[in-house]
């Protein structure tokens, strides 16, 4: 019973923290640019305002356009119920493993791409085409990183992976883990639309990948999609943090352990957010056709990670 | 890493916003923005900039709003890429004949509640282009305007004060924020 | 069970007779369709019964068939494939009632109806064959009836060529199969499978390897493994759509049936390199199949290339299973084979559904070219819904069936860490990477296929005037869509059934209990578990909860319909939309080394001034590697050989008499000296 309550509160924590995380990264980028920037909690005001605005949709669209925001939001929220944010293992661990998480996120991307094509604008089509290209080329790296983690832990279920790394701390600095972290970090930048793959605050439509698909959305639909994108960033950060450096994750469900785990989670998210902010300041956006080269490099890293974990077993 | 060394050396250069000269006409209210919209947009206003035939002087001043000195982001003001994402249309320029219809369509594409702020003398009464064959009239002739910010071009600080006072967010006393 | 068998046979035979005798009227079409549907339904029930009871069904030839040497036996494996035949056959038969109406008067409905029933009959009996002669006779019957059906629209350009390629490749495979069965049965084709099973262990390793290679060639030509796939994208698009569904959904699966039957059951498995070759062929087929599918804008050719891809995925599972089998890891071997077989039935359902959907679109718009479609979702709501379900299933999106079987294939590859030799074990991660890339590219391809065909604005007047399909066609699609959802939500029913099917084949233990836990699917050694049912439930709950919460918090519910945002431009035409070619362009550039696209640009200038352009023609094609590098030289070689041999035909009777007497002399000498 406690486990189920914790699961649901975990999803709520993710929902609440996610916009703050996006705001935090944005705030740090502003500070690095020498300006005061929008405070991290202003993103919540953005969402509240969007929910109060009306929706304007194109007459060329179909029910898929209206259905997609709900599906993207629901599938992303479903993922937060499956990943170990503050405690592992949890009751829903049996329902889904890392492969299911990856494919649930792909479900959201699939429908978002369809919604980009629906209004019949060129920008939407362009965004959809680029997004699916990058998602497809990032898939092998994700699968191999999962493989690498699973081989070490003997399972693809997230709770077991976390428990395994907690039990054998020296595995965390094995070459397999380090290479896998580098590979998954690169893929995270691609999947969440961060520099150097995609600039989340660009206005140049010809350089957009994710933004171009949502140019037609407004009001509550846009709020749901933006929130889902923020939760997606939080999901990737938590996976990177809690699978490769799981210390702090509660193994028992006592209030003290969960409290420590929550604080640890916030600290890890802040640290990763800081790294991403620094990276986004330092790196310029890659040309679109250089992105497959970047993802190929991450694939090679993941392959090396898996091979080394095989050979060093 | 010389970039980060430079970043660490350079302080935050954002200037504090003051109320400014109370006698000068910072903005002219054409249509009152209702209280609900003002509360909604108080901390988060997404702006879509529309150039309805301007000489780009106002645009240069507006784009200065994003730099570290004026830093409009700290007030929750943010430029967006599509009018569907916008709450406020920032229109410049005398509305030329070619831009009249696109301006109407942009207004139509913006979801309610929305406000329109016209920047510069051209947007108010065609400025130096008055009586030209190529212009339709001020922005008010095409779409309903809430606030005018006069000037040719208005300084970025005035544009910022105009935006914020339209939302009732200017500091009450001098030397605030 | 015997009664079901008789119902099935008689239904098909009656259907064929009804087609031949009546032909053209609506009643005739209804009779043919009903007969085929009843036959398939009976087959489905029969297969399910055999799987559920675990008791095989045996027949003796003297009572039922006049031809001696024919033996039929239906065991679990055959029963499973009979279920596949029945499911897709039933849906296609019901669909055919509405679809074949457009052929009345133009093409021979008699031949089509008769051949359709006979094809289903041959397929149903194929999986029951218990000796080599029966197997080969039915194989040939299946190929010939399929050939007749492919040639239905014989006056269209490209159909005859497709038919010739199909016939040639299927017979090349057939020749290999004859050779293989001769080796296996010791030159006695009427020896039953049981005796072949016993004798296979006594064959020399060279013979066993020869059997493996011949089986791979013969069954691979039918299944469409690269490089034997070239007939698939030619033949499947030109056939009528319900026939395409059977071809892609069922006929190519007979190649898989043959491989599993021969390699696992009759031969009892083999050395690790057999599994490795199958795995490699599967991985390459999967990747190349999807890469070529991405560049197609003919809807049915795209689906045909995806069949190549999915056969590749099935073979990845089967190959992994064979590798584990050779190392004695029996539970993992069962996992690999189960994943391959599960993907077989899943592919049959969603590919059948997609082909039926493509047929609806073809029926409504008269074209297969995606670049002329668009906006069909508003005019054909049911077709688009079912096509969406099929697209989501083939892209392996949870909680549909494609995800369940791909998850299992991934899990069986992940079991590769248990293989003792590291050199072999390292093949598994590569296969994982290729499988993941394939699945991502498939999702991209189906966003394109569904989005360009059904969404946005119609790109041609035919698309503007499209109409929804008649109820029989919608019913056929609905059956398969329902099957997709059911197979995806209930893997804990399918996987134990497959475990029972595989028990005993090649020494596999009874694994039906090892794989499920309540509503979840669990892999052996508790490696992983997941439950699509609970995921689907969770998604539904969330999908209902989110609008409810938004209602409670009084979120603004207003919605206004306006034009698309086009930066204020004054109008929107279909020319401004994204095209299928444009959608696939980034991937074309990324994989340019494989595609080697050619580009031709011709510009017509105004006669008076070259600053004004009248028209621009841009043509870009991808280089078809296999046709150019492999089949081109092969065909040229055969042609040269034929021309050289033609010199023997001089036309002079004297020379021919000399040939005869010379041959007689040689034969006498051989007879004397042996």
């Amino acid at each position: 019973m406690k486990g189920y309550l914790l699961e649901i509160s975990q999803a709520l924590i993710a929902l609440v923290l996610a916009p703050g995380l996006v705001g935090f990264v944005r705030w740090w980028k502003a500070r690095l640019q020498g300006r005061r920037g929008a405070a991290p909690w202003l993103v919540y005001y953005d969402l509240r305002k969007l929910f109060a605005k009306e929706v304007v949709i194109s007459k060329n669209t179909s029910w898929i356009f209206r259905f997609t925001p709900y599906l993207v939001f629901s599938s992303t929220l479903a993922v937060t119920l499956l990943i170990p944010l503050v405690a592992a293992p949890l009751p829903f661990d049996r329902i889904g493993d890392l492969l299911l998480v990856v494919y649930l996120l792909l479900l959201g991307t699939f429908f978002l791409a369809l919604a980009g094509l629906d209004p019949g604008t060129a920008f939407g089509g362009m965004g959809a085409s680029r997004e699916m290209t990058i998602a497809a080329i990032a898939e092998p790296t994700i699968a191999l990183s999962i493989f690498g983690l699973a081989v070490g832990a003997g399972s693809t279920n997230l709770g077991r992976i976390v428990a395994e790394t907690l039990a054998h701390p020296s595995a965390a600095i094995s070459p397999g883990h380090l290479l896998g972290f580098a590979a998954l970090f690169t893929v995270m930048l691609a999947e969440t639309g961060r520099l150097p793959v995609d600039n989340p605050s660009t206005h140049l439509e010809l350089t957009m990948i994710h933004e171009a698909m949502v140019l037609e959305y407004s009001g509550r639909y846009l709020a749901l999609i933006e929130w889902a994108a923020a939760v997606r960033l939080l999901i990737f950060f938590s996976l990177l943090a809690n699978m490769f450096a799981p210390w702090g994750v509660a193994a028992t469900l006592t209030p003290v352990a969960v409290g420590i785990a929550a604080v640890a989670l916030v600290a890890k998210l802040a640290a990763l957010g800081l790294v991403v902010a620094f990276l986004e300041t330092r790196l310029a956006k890659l040309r679109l056709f250089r992105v497959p080269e970047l993802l190929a490099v991450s694939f090679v890293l993941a392959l090396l990670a898996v091979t080394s974990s095989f050979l060093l077993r | 890493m010389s970039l980060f060394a430079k970043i660490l050396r350079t302080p935050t250069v954002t200037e504090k916003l003051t109320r400014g000269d109370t006698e000068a006409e910072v903005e002219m209210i054409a249509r009152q923005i209702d209280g609900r919209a003002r509360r909604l947009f108080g901390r988060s206003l997404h702006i879509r900039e529309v150039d309805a035939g301007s000489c780009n002087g106002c645009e240069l001043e507006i784009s200065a709003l994003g730099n570290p000195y004026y830093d409009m982001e700290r007030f929750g003001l943010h430029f967006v890429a599509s009018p569907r994402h916008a709450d406020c249309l920032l229109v410049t320029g005398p509305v030329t004949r070619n831009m009249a219809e696109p301006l109407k369509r942009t207004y139509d594409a913006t979801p309610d509640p929305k406000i329109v702020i016209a920047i510069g003398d051209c947007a108010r009464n065609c400025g130096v282009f008055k009586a030209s064959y190529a212009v339709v009239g001020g922005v008010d002739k095409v779409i309903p305007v809430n606030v005018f910010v006069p000037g040719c071009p208005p300084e970025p600080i005035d544009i910022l004060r105009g935006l914020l006072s339209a939302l009732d967010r200017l500091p009450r006393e001098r030397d605030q924020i | 069970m015997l009664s079901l068998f008789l119902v099935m046979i008689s239904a098909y035979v009656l259907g064929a007779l009804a087609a031949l005798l009546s032909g053209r009227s609506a009643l005739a079409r209804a009779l043919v369709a009903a007969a085929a549907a009843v036959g398939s339904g009976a087959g489905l029930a029969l297969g399910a019964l055999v799987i559920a009871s675990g008791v095989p069904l045996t027949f003796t030839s003297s009572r039922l068939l006049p031809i001696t040497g024919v033996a039929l036996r239906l065991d679990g494996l055959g029963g499973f494939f009979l279920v596949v035949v029945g499911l897709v056959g039933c849906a296609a038969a019901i669909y055919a009632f509405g679809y074949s109406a457009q052929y009345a008067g133009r093409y021979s409905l008699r031949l089509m109806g008769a051949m359709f029933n006979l094809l289903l009959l041959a397929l149903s009996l194929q999986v029951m064959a218990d000796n080599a002669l029966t197997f080969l006779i039915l194989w040939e019957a299946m190929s010939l009836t399929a050939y007749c059906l492919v040639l239905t629209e014989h006056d269209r350009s490209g159909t005859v060529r497709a038919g010739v390629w199909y016939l040639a490749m299927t017979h090349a495979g057939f020749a290999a199969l004859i050779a293989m069965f001769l080796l296996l049965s010791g030159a006695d084709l009427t020896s039953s499978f049981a005796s072949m099973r016993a004798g296979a262990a006594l064959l020399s390793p060279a013979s066993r390897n020869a059997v493996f290679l011949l089986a791979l060639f013969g069954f691979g030509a039918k299944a469409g493994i690269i490089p034997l796939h070239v007939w698939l994208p030619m033949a499947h698009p030109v056939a009528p759509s319900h026939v395409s569904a059977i071809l892609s959904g069922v006929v190519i699966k007979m190649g898989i049936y043959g491989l599993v039957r021969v390699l696992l059951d009759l031969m009892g498995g083999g050395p690790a390199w057999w599994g490795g070759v199958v795995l490699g062929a599967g991985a390459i087929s999967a990747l190349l199949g999807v890469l070529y599918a991405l560049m197609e804008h003919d809807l049915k050719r795209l689906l045909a290339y995806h069949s190549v891809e999915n056969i590749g995925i099935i073979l990845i599972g089967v190959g992994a299973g064979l590798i584990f089998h050779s190392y004695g890891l029996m539970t993992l071997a069962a996992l690999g084979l189960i994943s391959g077989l599960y993907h077989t039935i899943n592919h049959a359902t969603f590919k059948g559904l997609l082909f039926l959907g493509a047929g609806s679109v073809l029926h409504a718009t008269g074209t297969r070219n995606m670049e002329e479609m668009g906006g069909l979702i508003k005019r054909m709501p049911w077709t688009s819904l079912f096509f969406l379900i099929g697209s989501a299933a083939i892209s392996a999106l949870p909680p549909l069936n494609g995800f369940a079987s791909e998850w299992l294939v991934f899990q069986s590859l992940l079991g590769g860490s248990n293989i003792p030799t590291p050199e072999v074990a390292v093949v598994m991660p590569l296969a994982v990477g290729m499988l993941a890339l394939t699945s991502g590219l498939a999702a991209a391809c189906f966003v394109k296929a569904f989005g360009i065909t059904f969404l946005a604005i119609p790109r041609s007047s035919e698309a503007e005037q499209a109409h929804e399909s008649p109820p029989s066609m919608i019913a056929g699609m609905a059956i398969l869509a329902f099957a997709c959802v059911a197979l995806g939500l209930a893997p804990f029913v399918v996987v134990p059934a497959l475990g029972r099917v595989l028990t005993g084949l090649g020494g596999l233990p009874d694994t039906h209990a090892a794989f499920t836990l309540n509503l979840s699917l669990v892999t052996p050694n508790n490696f992983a578990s997941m439950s699509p049912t609970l995921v689907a439930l969770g998604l539904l709950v969330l999908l209902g909860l989110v609008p409810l919460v938004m209602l409670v918090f009084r979120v603004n519910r207003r919605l206004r319909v306006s034009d698309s945002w086009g930066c204020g431009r004054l109008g929107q035409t279909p020319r401004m939309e994204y095209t299928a070619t444009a959608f696939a362009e980034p991937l074309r550039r990324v994989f340019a080394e494989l595609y080697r696209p050619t580009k031709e640009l011709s510009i017509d200038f105004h006669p008076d001034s070259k600053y004004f352009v009248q028209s621009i023609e841009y043509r870009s094609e991808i280089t078809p590697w296999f046709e150019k590098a492999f089949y081109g030289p092969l065909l040229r070689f055969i042609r040269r050989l034929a021309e050289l041999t033609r010199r023997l035909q001089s036309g002079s009777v004297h020379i021919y008499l000399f040939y005869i007497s010379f041959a007689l002399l040689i034969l006498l000498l051989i007879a004397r000296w042996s």
Side-chain angles (χ1 to χ4, degrees):
Chain A
M1 193 58 212
K2 251 200 301 189
Y4 289 105
L5 274 175
L6 193 58
E7 285 268 18
I8 296 178
S9 49
Q10 209 176 251
L12 288 173
I13 293 175
L15 268 186
V16 165
L17 279 180
L21 179 63
V22 171
F24 180 76
V25 176
R26 211 172 59 173
W27 183 65
W28 262 103
K29 276 168 68 175
R31 287 281 157 161
L32 287 171
Q33 289 168 13
R35 56 189 177 93
R36 284 182 51 199
W41 52 85
L42 279 184
V43 187
Y44 294 100
Y45 285 96
D46 283 343
L47 282 177
R48 190 191 79 144
K49 175 206 68 183
L50 278 174
F51 275 118
K53 295 203 57 159
E54 71 166 358
V55 166
V56 183
I57 64 174
S58 157
K59 61 183 192 289
N60 300 325
T61 58
S62 61
W63 62 268
I64 289 194
F65 191 80
R66 293 195 297 273
F67 177 63
T68 296
Y70 296 105
L71 183 68
V72 170
F73 192 76
S74 306
S75 63
T76 321
L77 198 55
V79 171
T80 59
L81 288 168
L82 295 170
I83 57 175
L85 285 178
V86 292
L90 282 171
F92 288 170
D93 200 41
R94 212 169 28 90
I95 297 183
D97 64 341
L98 206 38
L99 279 170
L100 182 67
V101 163
V102 170
Y103 276 96
L104 271 176
L105 292 174
L106 185 65
L107 176 66
T109 310
F110 186 86
F111 272 89
L112 204 55
L114 283 180
L117 280 171
D118 211 5
T121 57
F123 291 145
M126 192 180 71
S129 152
R130 292 174 173 187
E131 177 83 14
M132 290 313 293
T133 306
I134 292 185
I137 299 180
E139 285 282 320
T141 312
I142 301 180
L144 277 182
S145 311
I146 296 176
F147 196 140
L149 285 168
V151 163
S155 170
T156 51
N157 281 87
L158 292 151
R160 298 267 290 277
I161 295 177
V162 170
E164 180 71 20
T165 321
L166 276 176
H168 305 283
S170 58
I173 48 170
S174 65
H177 263 232
L178 295 172
L179 289 169
F181 181 84
L184 206 56
F185 191 83
T186 317
V187 159
M188 179 272 293
L189 292 175
E191 288 272 340
T192 53
R194 295 264 136 196
L195 285 165
V197 176
D198 183 17
N199 187 351
S201 56
T202 184
H203 291 190
L204 305 170
E205 287 92 346
L206 290 179
T207 64
M208 288 178 181
I209 299 177
H210 180 268
E211 272 299 307
M213 292 190 293
V214 302
L215 282 176
E216 284 286 325
Y217 275 113
S218 46
R220 58 186 185 276
Y221 293 162
L222 184 63
L224 285 174
I225 289 183
E226 294 285 326
W227 207 343
V231 175
R232 197 185 167 104
L233 184 69
L234 186 132
I235 288 171
F236 271 100
F237 275 11
S238 334
L239 283 176
L240 277 171
N242 283 346
M243 286 197 305
F244 292 95
W247 302 286
V249 174
T252 54
L253 296 181
T254 60
V256 172
V258 172
I260 295 177
V263 169
L265 178 69
V266 172
K268 288 184 219 172
L269 290 177
L272 278 170
L274 212 61
V275 171
V276 170
F278 271 83
L279 265 177
E280 293 206 312
T281 309
R282 180 70 186 83
L283 296 170
K285 185 169 127 46
L286 279 176
R287 256 191 69 194
L288 179 68
F289 294 113
R290 290 252 183 267
V291 174
E293 295 174 14
L294 176 71
L295 292 172
V297 167
S298 71
F299 174 75
V300 169
L301 285 176
L303 193 61
L304 286 174
V306 167
T307 324
S308 72
S309 64
F310 262 174
L311 296 173
L312 296 177
R313 211 161 13 105
Chain B
M1 290 299 113
S2 60
L3 176 65
F4 286 109
K6 183 162 185 188
I7 290 176
L8 285 172
R9 274 201 309 268
T10 319
T12 306
V13 296
T14 313
E15 294 177 346
K16 286 193 193 303
L17 181 68
T18 61
R19 192 173 174 81
D21 197 351
T22 46
E23 281 87 50
E25 253 184 15
V26 171
E27 33 82 27
M28 293 158 34
I29 311 275
R31 283 175 191 74
Q32 268 294 354
I33 303 171
D34 71 30
R36 181 171 170 271
R38 220 178 297 160
R39 272 196 309 279
L40 207 54
F41 300 145
R43 295 293 204 113
S44 151
L45 185 74
H46 285 190
I47 305 174
R48 173 69 178 163
E49 204 275 330
V50 184
D51 175 350
S54 90
C55 69
N56 274 356
C58 293
E59 266 75 30
L60 286 168
E61 305 300 321
I62 290 172
S63 57
L65 282 178
N67 66 24
Y69 291 103
Y70 297 108
D71 193 20
M72 64 174 197
E73 293 241 342
R74 63 189 150 133
F75 300 114
L77 306 171
H78 182 63
F79 281 129
V80 286
S82 162
R84 296 248 202 271
H85 300 180
D87 313 310
C88 163
L89 288 181
L90 209 63
V91 190
T92 58
V95 183
T96 55
R97 288 182 194 281
N98 289 342
M99 282 304 291
E101 184 62 33
L103 182 59
K104 264 203 218 75
R105 282 173 185 259
T106 310
Y107 182 75
D108 199 40
T110 317
D112 282 323
K114 54 195 169 195
I115 61 178
V116 177
I117 300 181
I119 306 285
D121 286 338
C122 289
R124 187 154 60 97
N125 53 16
C126 294
V128 296
F129 299 110
K130 198 186 293 232
S132 158
Y133 60 88
V135 301
V136 165
V139 178
D140 210 29
K141 299 244 181 346
V142 183
I143 56 178
V145 178
N146 293 101
V147 175
F148 287 104
V149 176
C152 186
E155 293 196 11
I157 194 72
D158 289 330
I159 302 176
L160 197 52
R161 287 197 190 112
L163 278 168
L164 289 174
S165 66
L167 300 173
D168 230 4
R169 281 204 62 212
L170 262 192
R172 292 289 154 206
E173 289 85 36
R174 296 178 70 90
D175 301 324
Q176 260 289 359
I177 296 190
Chain C
M1 280 202 282
L2 190 61
S3 47
L4 275 175
F5 176 72
L6 290 171
V7 166
M8 181 178 85
I9 305 256
S10 37
Y12 284 138
V13 170
L14 280 174
L17 283 174
L20 285 172
L21 294 175
S22 37
R24 193 179 289 199
S25 65
L27 182 63
R29 285 187 288 118
L31 276 175
V32 169
V38 164
S40 331
L44 179 72
L46 182 61
L49 263 177
V50 170
I51 296 178
S53 68
V55 173
L57 187 63
T58 336
F59 310 86
T60 56
S61 62
S62 56
R63 242 191 309 158
L64 291 171
L65 297 145
I67 309 171
T68 57
V70 170
L72 297 175
R73 180 173 173 273
L74 186 60
D75 65 353
L77 186 64
F80 170 71
F81 278 92
L82 196 56
V83 168
V84 174
V85 174
L87 186 58
V88 183
C90 193
I94 296 177
Y95 183 90
F97 169 58
Y99 189 76
S100 48
Q102 60 182 306
Y103 289 124
R106 280 165 45 201
Y107 300 112
S108 169
L109 272 180
R110 291 174 209 267
L111 197 61
M112 186 167 83
M115 286 300 152
F116 187 68
N117 278 295
L118 289 176
L119 174 63
L120 286 174
L121 179 63
L123 285 168
S124 307
L125 290 177
Q126 174 81 62
V127 300
M128 297 190 215
D130 199 37
N131 65 20
L133 188 66
T134 326
F135 193 96
L136 290 170
I137 292 177
L138 288 167
W139 190 268
E140 186 64 5
M142 172 179 77
S143 306
L144 287 178
T145 45
Y147 169 70
C148 290
L149 285 168
V150 164
L151 281 184
T152 309
E153 300 183 17
H154 49 82
D155 55 2
R156 287 213 183 177
S157 67
T159 310
V160 174
R161 180 167 176 265
V164 169
W165 270 96
Y166 175 67
L167 203 61
M169 305 251 2
T170 198
H171 280 129
F174 187 59
L177 288 182
I178 296 181
M180 176 196 79
F181 273 118
L182 283 173
L183 271 178
L184 256 184
S185 61
D188 176 19
L189 287 179
T190 57
S191 65
S192 72
F193 278 179
S195 54
M196 274 196 252
R197 211 171 284 138
L202 305 169
L203 288 173
S204 68
S207 301
R208 285 174 68 93
N209 290 338
V211 167
F212 168 69
L213 290 171
L214 286 168
L216 193 60
F217 184 88
F219 292 122
K222 177 60 72 181
I225 307 179
I226 294 210
L228 303 167
H229 68 288
V230 280
W231 58 273
L232 231 161
M234 283 194 232
H236 287 198
V238 299
S241 305
H242 57 286
V243 173
S244 303
I246 302 277
L247 286 177
S248 248
V250 186
V251 174
I252 59 181
K253 306 303 187 300
M254 290 301 141
I256 305 292
Y257 168 71
L259 272 175
V260 176
R261 178 66 80 190
V262 170
L263 292 182
L264 189 67
D265 187 19
L266 295 183
M267 304 276 288
W273 70 268
W274 285 14
V277 168
V278 172
L279 181 69
I284 294 177
S285 301
L287 197 53
L288 285 179
V290 76
L291 283 174
Y292 280 117
L294 274 165
M295 291 297 126
E296 288 292 333
H297 53 78
D298 175 336
L299 193 54
K300 287 174 77 169
R301 248 177 99 94
L302 182 147
L303 293 174
Y305 270 115
H306 273 286
S307 291
V308 175
E309 173 217 339
N310 280 287
I311 288 285
I313 298 179
I314 296 173
L315 285 178
I316 290 179
V318 169
L322 285 173
I323 294 182
F324 290 130
H325 189 272
S326 66
Y327 282 104
L329 300 161
M330 288 302 176
T331 338
L332 283 173
L335 177 62
L337 288 159
I338 287 178
S339 65
L341 288 181
Y342 195 179
H343 202 74
T344 305
I345 191 170
N346 287 342
H347 178 238
T349 46
F350 54 63
K351 189 45 66 67
L353 174 61
L354 287 169
F355 264 112
L356 294 185
S360 280
V361 170
L362 179 56
H363 173 84
T365 59
T367 173
R368 296 195 316 246
N369 186 0
M370 269 195 278
E371 310 274 29
E372 289 170 19
M373 300 181 191
L376 294 177
I377 192 170
K378 299 196 186 85
R379 307 199 61 99
M380 305 172 69
W382 287 108
T383 306
S384 47
L385 176 66
F386 294 135
F387 199 92
L388 181 65
I389 293 179
S391 307
I394 199 171
S395 311
L397 298 179
L400 294 173
N401 55 359
F403 175 68
S405 54
E406 277 206 30
W407 187 84
L408 276 173
V409 176
F410 269 119
Q411 293 296 342
S412 63
L413 287 173
L414 291 180
S417 57
N418 291 309
I419 294 180
T421 45
E423 306 87 50
V424 176
V426 103
V427 162
M428 299 296 194
L430 277 175
V432 167
M434 287 170 89
L435 182 59
L437 182 59
T438 305
S439 126
L441 288 173
C445 194
F446 273 94
V447 168
K448 172 182 116 169
F450 182 77
I452 303 286
T453 309
F454 289 98
L455 298 179
I457 320 172
R459 293 178 180 79
S460 67
S461 55
E462 289 90 357
E464 266 172 38
Q465 291 155 9
H467 55 91
E468 181 61 279
S469 316
S472 59
M473 288 166 68
I474 297 182
M477 289 192 278
I479 293 176
L480 287 176
F482 179 72
C484 280
V485 175
L487 285 169
L489 290 182
F492 45 85
V493 168
V494 179
V495 171
L498 287 173
R500 251 196 298 259
V501 160
L502 286 172
T503 311
L505 296 180
L508 284 175
D510 183 6
T511 51
H512 82 272
F515 286 111
T516 59
L517 177 70
N518 305 330
L519 289 176
S520 308
L521 200 57
V522 179
T523 55
N525 317 318
N526 242 331
F527 195 74
S529 76
M530 75 108 184
S531 171
T533 337
L534 292 174
V535 168
L537 197 64
L539 274 177
L540 281 174
V541 165
L542 286 172
L543 275 172
L545 212 57
V546 170
L548 202 66
V549 169
M550 279 169 54
L551 203 65
V552 164
F553 278 90
R554 281 178 300 163
V555 159
N556 187 338
R557 293 178 44 75
R558 284 185 51 201
L559 187 130
R560 177 159 62 92
V561 177
S562 171
D563 292 321
S564 296
W565 169 242
C567 301
R569 65 165 176 241
L570 297 180
Q572 183 174 15
T573 70
R575 293 279 296 150
M576 298 174 189
E577 296 179 81
Y578 234 52
T579 61
T581 317
F583 193 95
E585 213 265 349
L587 283 161
R588 189 195 197 95
R589 286 240 217 154
V590 170
F591 292 106
E593 280 301 311
L594 169 71
Y595 293 132
R596 304 287 168 106
T598 60
K599 197 168 79 157
E600 275 169 44
L601 187 63
S602 76
I603 306 181
D604 274 339
F605 293 108
H606 195 276
D608 291 337
S609 159
K610 87 169 177 48
Y611 292 109
F612 292 98
V613 170
Q614 274 187 319
S615 74
I616 301 181
E617 188 182 310
Y618 172 80
R619 191 185 206 84
S620 173
E621 284 182 22
I622 57 173
T623 315
W625 269 124
F626 290 100
E627 285 84 342
K628 214 170 93 153
F630 184 56
Y631 287 95
L634 182 68
L635 289 176
R636 277 197 297 275
F637 171 71
I638 294 180
R639 198 180 188 138
R640 279 247 324 272
L641 210 59
E643 277 177 17
L644 281 174
T645 327
R646 200 155 67 94
R647 294 224 200 115
L648 287 173
Q649 294 178 299
S650 56
S652 150
V653 183
H654 310 290
I655 305 277
Y656 293 158
L657 285 173
F658 170 71
Y659 288 156
I660 293 174
S661 50
F662 187 69
L664 195 58
L665 190 65
I666 301 286
L667 281 171
L668 285 172
L669 282 172
I670 293 177
R672 173 74 179 81
W673 284 106
S674 64

